[in-house]
Amino acid sequence: MAMKVYPPEFKADAVALYRSRPGATIASVADDLGVNRETMRNWIRTDDGRRGTGPAARPIPGPTAAVGAPTAEQENRRLRERVAELEKEREILRKAAAYFGGRDEAVSRFCFVDDHRGAFGVKRLCRVLGLSRSGFYAFRAGAPARAVRAAGDAALAWAIQAVHEQDPAYGAPRITAELRGKGYEVNHKRVERVMRQAGIEGIHLRKRKRTTVPEPCEEPVADLLGREFTAQRPNTRYVGDITYLPIEGGRFLYLATVIDLYSRRLVGFSIADHMRTGLVADALRAAARERGCLSGAVFHSDHGAQYTSKEFAELCDRLGVTRSMGAVGSSADNAAAESFNATLKRETLQGLGLTCWATLRAARLAVFAWIARYNTRRRHSWNRRLSPLACEQRSISLATAA
């Protein structure tokens, strides 16, 4: 494997990311970026040198009248008893109303019976609330087990909250994978339930904007993928695209990407304040530095003017890369790259309720940090909840073992 060479832009962004995180350690930032800790320390020392610094219940009808004609005294006594019973039923229903707010109705009724059985008796309470006494006693017998489950759910909610605070974009599937990676024996259904009860949710997808600017191409480029966004091994098939990064005041930065279809790893990228061909060329050159060689690989894109330019075609020829393009105006033909862009926006900007970043530096650092975490730590559904880098490392291990 070729020695890894980091471009100056990467080093500067890495140091800036470290300085933008008060209290962060060099080791934690280096691990997020996937670089050697001592290398990161050297970059910071060099930069220091340049700076010159060291529902309602239904009442049950009352008993039927006695057989035969009752006397007036008997009738009055029966009516008084009936009124007294109705008064108690009304009191029961009034008190029970507070138990039926948002919880499971049957469980709430059993809880009410248990809490008020000393005042009204189990038989009357079950009759008024339409419950069976056997069901209530079974409910009471299961109280210890429910207490254990409740304690377990509380502990799980705490663990889920910790993962969610680390990465607010994670939903139940990725949080489940993260917890399993930490030794928890839990399935996604329980995680979904606990998250719902605790009011925890990941960031949802929002509508994206299209930025592709097509340009007639002198030499037609075939679609070599045919919407088959897969690869048998790393460094064979890539996709790329450009997406905008909105800045306050109507300004923009632009991000060009090169994504490996085997692991969905972002191998190369470039951020600039323009959309010229140099933007996509720098991203491809960054991928070549990261991989050491791209010879024989296929790079798939849309028909944006940058990708159809002569300059980009010549760069692909020099690197031994075969170009591939989908149909004009069809985002589905480059869905893998489009999906990456949507995820990036959702997890760095839209999910926080923002429409833009305050400054160019804030946007660059936020995207740079997210990309580093995406590659090294973020669990990807495509990789069976492994991060892209872990997926590639597993591939190397399996190939070596074979």
Side-chain angles (χ1 to χ4, degrees):
M1 179 178 290
M3 182 179 295
K4 179 174 289 189
V5 178
Y6 297 95
E9 295 84 358
F10 185 94
K11 298 178 183 179
D13 286 339
V15 174
L17 179 62
Y18 167 74
R19 299 193 188 284
S20 70
R21 293 180 172 178
T25 63
I26 294 176
S28 66
V29 175
D31 291 345
D32 281 347
L33 298 177
V35 302
N36 182 271
R37 297 179 179 181
E38 190 59 34
T39 300
M40 182 72 192
R41 187 173 287 106
N42 288 334
W43 293 348
I44 296 172
R45 288 171 181 164
T46 302
D47 186 67
D48 287 340
R50 286 197 299 266
R51 291 166 174 257
T53 60
R58 295 175 301 173
I60 305 301
T64 59
V67 178
T71 65
E73 183 180 351
Q74 290 174 331
E75 181 66 17
N76 288 336
R77 184 170 59 251
R78 186 186 67 80
L79 291 175
R80 286 194 297 269
E81 291 173 351
R82 180 60 180 152
V83 169
E85 183 64 25
L86 290 175
E87 288 290 341
K88 284 190 175 292
E89 290 181 3
R90 186 175 68 172
E91 184 181 358
I92 290 171
L93 294 174
R94 179 176 55 80
K95 291 183 177 181
Y99 280 69
F100 305 143
R103 297 181 292 176
D104 180 87
E105 183 178 338
V107 173
S108 298
R109 294 187 182 198
F110 284 137
C111 289
F112 178 79
V113 173
D114 196 28
D115 291 344
H116 295 81
R117 57 194 175 92
F120 300 102
V122 173
K123 181 178 180 180
R124 174 185 281 135
L125 288 168
C126 288
R127 175 175 59 78
V128 172
L129 298 179
L131 301 173
S132 69
R133 280 183 286 172
S134 61
F136 166 71
Y137 289 118
F139 171 81
R140 289 200 68 201
R146 286 195 304 277
V148 171
R149 286 197 299 272
D153 285 350
L156 180 61
W158 181 88
I160 290 172
Q161 184 64 48
V163 175
H164 186 261
E165 289 177 355
Q166 189 177 28
D167 198 326
Y170 275 16
R174 287 189 174 89
I175 288 181
T176 302
E178 190 74 21
L179 292 174
R180 287 175 175 171
K182 295 180 178 181
Y184 287 83
E185 294 183 1
V186 64
N187 61 40
H188 71 280
K189 293 182 179 180
R190 185 183 179 196
V191 172
E192 287 176 352
R193 175 176 58 79
V194 173
M195 288 180 65
R196 183 169 59 252
Q197 293 171 346
I200 303 171
E201 61 179 347
I203 298 173
H204 300 290
L205 180 64
R206 299 188 181 183
K207 187 177 181 180
R208 66 171 184 85
K209 295 182 180 179
R210 184 181 174 192
T211 58
T212 301
V213 180
E215 181 179 271
C217 182
E218 295 181 1
E219 298 181 5
V221 178
D223 184 352
L224 303 180
L225 299 188
R227 301 186 182 181
E228 187 67 29
F229 302 111
T230 61
Q232 297 302 311
R233 60 185 186 278
N235 198 25
T236 56
R237 305 175 91 188
Y238 294 91
V239 294
D241 196 14
I242 301 174
T243 189
Y244 75 101
L245 308 175
I247 314 298
E248 191 173 306
R251 296 173 296 168
F252 294 93
L253 285 177
Y254 301 92
L255 169 68
T257 57
V258 181
I259 305 166
D260 193 308
L261 287 178
Y262 176 80
S263 63
R264 296 307 197 258
R265 180 182 176 186
L266 183 64
V267 181
F269 70 94
S270 178
I271 302 176
D273 59 357
H274 63 81
M275 291 180 65
R276 296 189 292 273
T277 302
L279 176 68
V280 297
D282 286 346
L284 191 62
R285 280 191 283 263
R289 288 193 299 268
E290 177 66 26
R291 289 305 196 192
C293 179
L294 294 179
S295 180
V298 172
F299 178 77
H300 182 86
S301 69
D302 56 27
H303 281 264
Q306 302 83 358
Y307 295 112
T308 59
S309 67
K310 183 178 179 181
E311 178 186 345
F312 187 74
E314 291 175 348
L315 174 62
C316 288
D317 290 340
R318 290 196 301 272
L319 296 176
V321 174
T322 301
R323 290 187 298 157
S324 169
M325 292 185 182
V328 176
S330 175
S331 61
D333 286 352
N334 200 21
E338 299 279 358
S339 176
F340 176 90
N341 293 339
T343 300
L344 167 65
K345 297 285 185 65
R346 182 175 70 244
E347 297 187 2
T348 62
L349 189 65
Q350 297 170 346
L352 301 177
L354 303 176
T355 58
C356 64
W357 283 280
T359 64
L360 297 172
R361 183 175 183 272
R364 187 179 186 95
L365 286 178
V367 173
F368 182 73
W370 183 86
I371 289 174
R373 181 172 180 80
Y374 170 87
N375 277 334
T376 61
R377 294 189 178 186
R378 184 184 181 277
R379 297 178 181 273
H380 204 298
S381 56
W382 176 261
N383 301 326
R384 297 181 179 180
R385 308 303 174 191
L386 291 176
S387 70
L389 186 60
C391 176
E392 291 192 358
Q393 291 172 343
R394 184 185 64 175
S395 173
I396 295 173
S397 299
L398 292 175
T400 301

